[in-house]
Amino acid sequence: QQPVQSPQAVILREGEDAVINCSSSKALYSVHWYRQKHGEAPVFLMILLKGGEQKGHEKISASFNEKKQQSSLYLTASQLSYSGTYFCGTERDSGGGADGLTFGKGTHLIIQP
Amino acid sequence: GAVVSQHPSRVICKSGTSVKIECRSLDFQATTMFWYRQFPKKSLMLMATSNEGSKATYEQGVEKDKFLINHASLTLSTLTVTSAHPEDSSFYICSATVGTFLSHADTQYFGPGTRLTVL
């Protein structure tokens, strides 16, 4: 089942912060975050595993709340290069091997100077 | 490291022809590769999971006889769209992971995608 992302779109001025949410009704093993620019393939940002962890590097971080099956991506002091569509991809907790990802519909982020 | 290539990047073909798309992991061995399809302004949809040396696992609603997947080696998977029709026009993207049968939650590295247009 496709995870739900919110908001659908957000427009920020350079330097502002943004939060993108991803929630699932299914038990998740992991949440993957990607950014895709128009006409290009998705670029990996980070993975979060069940167990409720938080990750980040520089101004992009994320958290995963296993109990709520929710993940949030935090973009602080946004830069023009952050513009794009952000997808969360969820991996089922099926107990088996590597699974393909089920992606949300994406959140369009536009950063204006 | 962890570069995935796809070939061709763009293909235009006539209705009824077959098209083969290659996905290669250039600097690592990928035990598992995935094929996704993305329609304009839509999300990526998983089509199938391909493990080296075994038959691909297709997602519900994906015709295995139409989308033939071969994972002949640890660095190459191919997707053949047979008897392509205009509704098959889409952006096809592969990803590769070093995840083994017993592990998951490994990073999926995406190829640059192949844009297929069927006239």
Side-chain angles (χ1 to χ4, degrees):
Chain A
Q1 194 164 359
Q2 191 174 33
V4 177
Q5 283 186 239
S6 62
Q8 288 183 315
V10 60
I11 301 174
L12 299 175
R13 292 220 176 268
E14 201 174 1
E16 293 181 334
D17 302 340
V19 179
I20 301 171
N21 300 302
C22 174
S23 64
S24 173
S25 58
K26 300 272 188 181
L28 300 176
Y29 186 85
S30 64
V31 179
H32 305 226
W33 284 98
Y34 290 84
R35 176 172 59 215
Q36 185 179 30
K37 294 192 182 277
H38 182 69
E40 299 177 9
V43 172
F44 171 75
L45 295 176
M46 63 188 76
I47 291 179
L48 299 107
L49 304 181
K50 73 174 183 179
E53 62 171 345
Q54 188 151 357
K55 273 190 176 181
H57 53 89
E58 295 188 358
K59 298 174 182 176
I60 301 176
S61 62
S63 63
F64 178 26
N65 186 318
E66 182 185 353
K67 289 183 181 178
K68 293 184 178 180
Q69 301 301 326
Q70 289 179 350
S71 178
S72 295
L73 184 71
Y74 307 94
L75 306 168
T76 58
S78 58
Q79 304 170 11
L80 293 175
S81 60
Y82 288 3
S83 292
T85 302
Y86 288 78
F87 291 99
C88 69
T90 56
E91 187 176 10
R92 297 166 294 200
D93 192 1
S94 61
D99 269 341
L101 301 177
T102 303
F103 285 92
K105 292 186 177 181
T107 295
H108 304 285
L109 177 64
I110 298 173
I111 309 295
Q112 295 178 334
Chain B
V3 177
V4 177
S5 70
Q6 278 185 243
H7 177 80
S9 58
R10 195 174 191 107
V11 58
I12 301 172
C13 68
K14 290 184 178 180
S15 185
T17 60
S18 294
V19 176
K20 181 187 280 189
I21 302 170
E22 291 184 350
C23 176
R24 291 182 187 272
S25 57
L26 298 185
D27 50 4
F28 66 101
Q29 293 186 327
T31 49
T32 305
M33 288 183 170
F34 303 94
W35 287 95
Y36 296 85
R37 179 168 54 183
Q38 186 177 33
F39 292 106
K41 298 184 180 180
K42 298 293 184 182
S43 185
L44 294 90
M45 299 297 292
L46 178 66
M47 298 176 67
T49 301
S50 170
N51 288 294
E52 186 265 338
S54 62
K55 289 184 178 179
T57 303
Y58 291 81
E59 293 299 301
Q60 194 172 10
V62 178
E63 300 174 57
K64 60 181 180 181
D65 293 331
K66 181 168 183 63
F67 298 99
L68 302 178
I69 291 172
N70 184 283
H71 195 154
S73 74
L74 287 172
T75 59
L76 174 64
S77 176
T78 60
L79 168 69
T80 302
V81 184
T82 61
S83 187
H85 288 95
E87 57 266 30
D88 298 325
S89 298
S90 187
F91 192 46
Y92 291 86
I93 310 175
C94 72
S95 72
T97 177
V98 296
T100 66
F101 178 72
L102 297 176
S103 71
H104 52 164
D106 287 305
T107 301
Q108 291 191 21
Y109 299 96
F110 282 84
T114 296
R115 191 164 299 283
L116 170 64
T117 303
V118 185
L119 303 176

